[in-house]
Amino acid sequence: MTSLQIGLILPDILGTYGDDGNALVLRQRARMRGLEAEIIPIKLGEPVPESLDVYALGGGEDTAQILAAEHLIADGGLTRAASAGRPILAICAGLQVLGESFRASGRVVDGVGLIDATTASMAERAIGEVATEPTKAGITAELTEPLTGFENHMGATILGPAAQPLGTLTRGTGNADTAAILDLSDKAVQRSAEGAVQGSVIATYMHGPVLARNPQLADLLLAKAMGVALSELEPLSIPAIDQLRTERFNASEPPRSQR
Ligand code: GLN
């Protein structure tokens, strides 16, 4: 591999929540191991190259995510990348956009269909710290460390049988609140679910950026991008990240009025 190519999908419309930082973390962790790495931003209206090494999509507002879904469906490049097993990280609106359908701006919109998930609306916005234990589903089998992030969404995402959660909640709302799962037979599973894993796609409601808070997840994506096992990556010792993780796992929730 000459230079690791990180596709940053639609930073112009899915950049609202600072999730572009995930691409920066991937590039930096690659460079710290002596690998050349570059970020390829793909903006609205531009074709998505199907042969990049790894892709990242961030969160965004309802109108922006409708535009994102329409572009990605019409273009087809990301779908071809997924079919070829290229690793894809999708955050919040990104998760919803890659699902089968989502509700935004008062209507149901077709998603890209890379994740067996449908997103409805919750009665109240979920805002706050999220923590999970990895499920180790599919491509995430090598994860052992708990995951931490920050959620801020109205979407309630129900997973179908082809998708599995990324994590089991120990804190936060995650994919769906209780009202959204009332009629489902697998309530307990859906209630505790955070994110989704399907094929080469890893999706989560966690902002942070999630890869800054979860170096093991960042390295898992890097390893998949490089076609090696996670255990083959030389560990990086960054004390500030350990400190950040401890702080976030122990953070107390501010009163609702201050959020
Ligand atoms: N607009 C979506 C929602 O509110 C996604 C928000 C986000 O990406 N943080 O559910």
Side-chain angles (χ1 to χ4, degrees), residues 17 59-62 65 91-93 96 125 152-155 205 207:
Y17 291 86
E61 300 314 322
D62 285 14
Q65 72 183 76
I91 313 297
C92 198
Q96 299 175 7
R125 181 166 283 273
N152 182 354
H153 60 102
M154 284 289 283
Y205 271 106
H207 302 288

Side-chain angles (χ1 to χ4, degrees), residues 137-259:
I139 189 181
T140 64
E142 291 168 283
L143 289 182
T144 53
E145 301 284 333
L147 296 160
T148 164
F150 190 87
E151 64 184 337
N152 182 354
H153 60 102
M154 284 289 283
T157 300
I158 306 296
L159 299 184
Q164 287 170 282
L166 168 64
T168 304
L169 286 168
T170 52
R171 178 173 184 175
T173 302
N175 288 0
D177 63 2
T178 317
I181 56 170
L182 273 181
D183 298 335
L184 299 176
S185 56
D186 57 344
K187 279 192 200 59
V189 177
Q190 299 278 359
R191 176 72 197 88
S192 64
E194 201 298 307
V197 178
Q198 185 171 336
S200 62
V201 180
I202 300 177
T204 176
Y205 271 106
M206 290 180 171
H207 302 288
V210 68
L211 297 188
R213 287 192 185 201
N214 301 280
Q216 191 184 46
L217 182 60
D219 282 354
L220 178 77
L221 282 157
L222 267 188
K224 297 293 172 193
M226 295 161 62
V228 301
L230 175 61
S231 57
E232 286 179 57
L233 289 192
E234 170 203 332
L236 298 173
S237 167
I238 306 175
I241 296 182
D242 301 334
Q243 199 183 331
L244 170 72
R245 284 174 63 76
T246 308
E247 198 181 288
R248 290 296 98 207
F249 282 120
N250 296 324
S252 53
E253 219 61 79
R256 245 202 118 71
S257 59
Q258 287 173 27
R259 282 188 239 158

